[in-house]
Amino acid sequence: MKQIWKKALVLLGIFMAAVVIYFIWNQKGEENTNQVFSTMESPQIPLVYVQSLGREINLMHGYKQNMEEKAARDSLTILPEDRQLTVGVRENISEITGIRYEVRSLDWEHLVERTTLESWETSEDRIQARLPIQNLLERDTEYILCLILTDQKGADLYYYTRILWTDEAAAKQMVDFAVDFSNKTFDYNQAAELVTYLESSSTEDNSSLGHVTIRSSFSQLTWNNLNVAPAGEIQVTLKEIDGIMGNVQLDYMVQRETDRETELYQVRENFTMRQGASRLYLMDYTRDMAQIFSGNKELFSGKRIMLGITGEEELSIKKSDNGRYIAFVTGGELWRFDQEEERAVKIFTFRGQSETDLRCSFDRHDIKIIQVEDTGNVDFLVYGYMNRGTHEGDVGAAYYRFTDGSGSIQEDTIEEKFFIPVQASFEEIKMDVNQLSYLGDNDLFYIMMEKAVYGIDLNSNEYMVVADNLCRGGYAVSKDGSHFAWQEGADIYKAAMIHVMDLKTGVMQEVQAQSEDAVRVLGFVGNDFMYGKAKQEDAWILRGRTIDLPMYAIEIVNDNMESETRYEKPGYYIADVTVEESRIHLNRLVKTGESDYETDGDDIIVCNVEISSGELEGIGWYASEERRKLYFVQTDVEIGRRKQIQVSAPRKLIHDAAGLLELKSGDNSRTMEFYAYGNGRLLGISDSFSQMTALAFDKMGFVTDHKQRIVWNRVDRDNTANIRSPENTARRLTRRLEEGGNKEYENDILIFDAQGCTLHQMLYFVGKGCPVAAYTDGGQYILITGYDQYNITVYQPWDGSTYKLGLADGEDYFNRYKNDFVCGIFLD
């Protein structure tokens, strides 16, 4: 009997030891797991590249929806002389049953060629196909190539690049230069050859490796001896070739070995170059570096969650009202930390087991934290290109709700509420989401998309159009996103009513103009609404164009539409109102004629209002001698009270009740819009040519019109230009000056109202062979017809005389007349 009891005790001891060992092992397994959702499928859509300029470049990701011209700006492919372009297909190639392609004009309106391939070469891991592009292209003219792959289910996948049939020598030189430059930055000795290309400045911020520029120090360029090395493939993308300007982008990962872990960083380099007579000139250079947050326990210490080297634009944070839960976005991933239980959850990521997978690490998406509840639940929006899962290959915005399993990791779930497909670039969607995306009471979610605002009921997935046909200067959103105001009508100078909506409660109120008056949206100070009052008869008209409607008063009202502050001074008018926290800056004017004004100094209104915190409150940084600026999430309590930090990921991703919302508003017709690009990305969109030119100027960038045509380029300009027979040449421009505005005259000329641009910016058009008209006294204009390094050439139409004016003197002269330029691009 004693033997039996002894055996039982031994077996019980073994069982208890096994339980303890299992528990410890399981806890350690949870401690550092970076698992992805078991229900999110691995990427299925193949990748496509082109063989051009002696290498595989321009990696393309597939779209399930036809994006038309919206995705074509991502890359430019130089065709070989015989136009026979070789493309390669990688990953999941067994699914491909058909290949065809289309060649279209940049605006997508004209089909040039449509061809279906009869055969292609297939190897173990890739497909190679040759596209026999026909002799229907004009040399040195850009087109859109849309490659269409058909899978076994008969579904089409779309891939886009622009193509250009031109001499490839300059483009090849620029691509080779960028790759060579990048490689040398990893070797301190070889990097010495790059010093000649830098423009290092003592005023440049050299505190962070997260953002390096052409003006950074040599130490910054060479990674501050951080001992990093490339990991995985380097993606080379030719972004632009426009005359003597070229732009090349490199995307890759680097890794750094430490005693504790292997650190991984996502890196993007962008090169803007100019082809000189005998060499290349580097006009601009940027390198952005973002550390991938691993979730390892060493990153949780004291009152900090270490995020490492990154850029501020990669980060956002939001806390629950009770302060227990912190949600943060870093490197395109969403995390949540429970300060009481010391549990971190990687809520959402597109990355898989391989952090360097080209499909999962494609960074054309972002995450917006909508709310963090006191229960630990998190609502968030994933928008842009969907790298994997149910919506892989779609572009749009998906709304998700993470539900905390009340301590049980097995019960953590994510539920998709709805998905909005959008035919727009990632940057365009990001601009809209950052302007307005807010969850009000009763689960009503408000979002701006393509110049309209929608309200979506998360319970029923029904939506309403709150406002549409929004125009620049005709609407405003409070800093915290909870209040939205917009004018009625398409003309911002003639609005008789403003709608003001509290998105939290859904209450809408109106501001009504008095008879013969107009009201103007000016913005929010905190959540107090600011608007202007003006009289229609006070329009500021310059050369027959209304350039502003000066206001006689400014009113600031609270949620009950009660006046908090009023600014009005007899004899003075107000223009150019800007808000900085609780300070309002305004430009005062005095009337000098029936429709003329002169500036009369600035004024400031200081308001006593509570300003909401920004998305980076709770994000801190400290300086490291080795790694420079390191970012962290600031916690409220010391981390490490428990023996283990639990790190997990949700086990369920639910789509059952998700809705597909095809958002539609009213008339979406637009005036001519301009797109500013710089450092390889879209910077802004506006119907103001001068605003977009200014935005692109500092980035050595360029501006396109709504048809993807480059209409201004800072780099693509010769050092000298001189237009012969200026009066005859300018006639195509000058005979249409009285019509005003931005207009296209088909097969003749594009004309832009460039009022507010600088003389330097206008010389681009002279270099392209079109004189620039500049208004002076009494409605007269002169023509700028030439320039060199020191002077401009001016032609006076009224007497046919020509004279030279120094560049500095010219800047002063045209400033005196408010830089009132009209310029054009000849279309033939």
Side-chain angles (χ1 to χ4, degrees), residues 449-588:
M449 282 288 176
E450 300 182 291
K451 300 298 186 292
V453 172
Y454 303 88
I456 303 170
D457 188 334
L458 298 184
N459 298 310
S460 65
N461 280 335
E462 296 177 335
Y463 75 88
M464 63 178 178
V465 179
V466 176
D468 63 357
N469 297 314
L470 298 172
C471 59
R472 178 179 59 91
Y475 64 92
V477 182
S478 63
K479 186 176 180 180
D480 68 356
S482 66
H483 289 70
F484 171 54
W486 71 101
Q487 297 178 191
E488 270 197 3
D491 192 332
I492 64 171
Y493 301 134
K494 295 182 179 180
M497 180 179 291
I498 298 174
H499 303 280
V500 185
M501 190 170 184
D502 183 337
L503 302 181
K504 180 175 176 57
T505 62
V507 173
M508 185 187 301
Q509 301 182 78
E510 282 77 33
V511 174
Q512 184 76 44
Q514 297 176 3
S515 177
E516 304 301 321
D517 275 13
V519 285
R520 298 183 58 185
V521 168
L522 298 179
F524 287 88
V525 185
N527 287 326
D528 289 343
F529 174 56
M530 178 172 60
Y531 68 96
K533 297 180 177 181
K535 296 185 181 299
Q536 296 282 359
E537 63 192 35
D538 289 333
W540 187 355
I541 299 174
L542 188 65
R543 260 59 91 178
R545 293 167 289 161
T546 300
I547 64 170
D548 205 346
L549 180 63
M551 297 160 284
Y552 65 82
I554 290 177
E555 198 87 42
I556 302 175
V557 296
N558 59 24
D559 278 348
N560 296 320
M561 306 307 287
E562 299 167 340
S563 180
E564 296 283 344
T565 303
R566 180 182 176 91
Y567 180 96
E568 182 177 6
K569 293 186 177 181
Y572 290 96
Y573 295 83
I574 309 153
D576 301 327
V577 179
T578 58
V579 180
E580 293 181 3
E581 301 296 338
S582 61
R583 299 168 70 88
I584 303 167
H585 300 263
L586 50 88
N587 181 23
R588 289 193 315 192

Side-chain angles (χ1 to χ4, degrees), residues 48 128 131 139 166 223 281 290 302 405 412 466 481 593 610 707 748:
V48 172
Q128 274 203 346
L131 311 185
R139 291 189 72 93
T166 189
W223 311 86
Y281 294 90
D412 287 350
V466 176
E610 182 179 346
K707 293 185 178 181
D748 188 14

Side-chain angles (χ1 to χ4, degrees), residues 151-166:
D151 64 18
Q152 290 180 340
K153 298 178 182 179
D156 289 335
L157 302 172
Y158 301 88
Y159 300 80
Y160 301 89
T161 181
R162 285 168 294 127
I163 56 175
L164 182 64
W165 185 27
T166 189

Side-chain angles (χ1 to χ4, degrees), residues 543 737 773-782 797-798 813 817 820:
R543 260 59 91 178
L737 287 179
Y775 283 101
T776 57
D777 286 318
Q780 288 185 318
Y781 64 85
I782 58 177
W798 59 86
Y813 178 79
Y817 295 103
D820 197 5

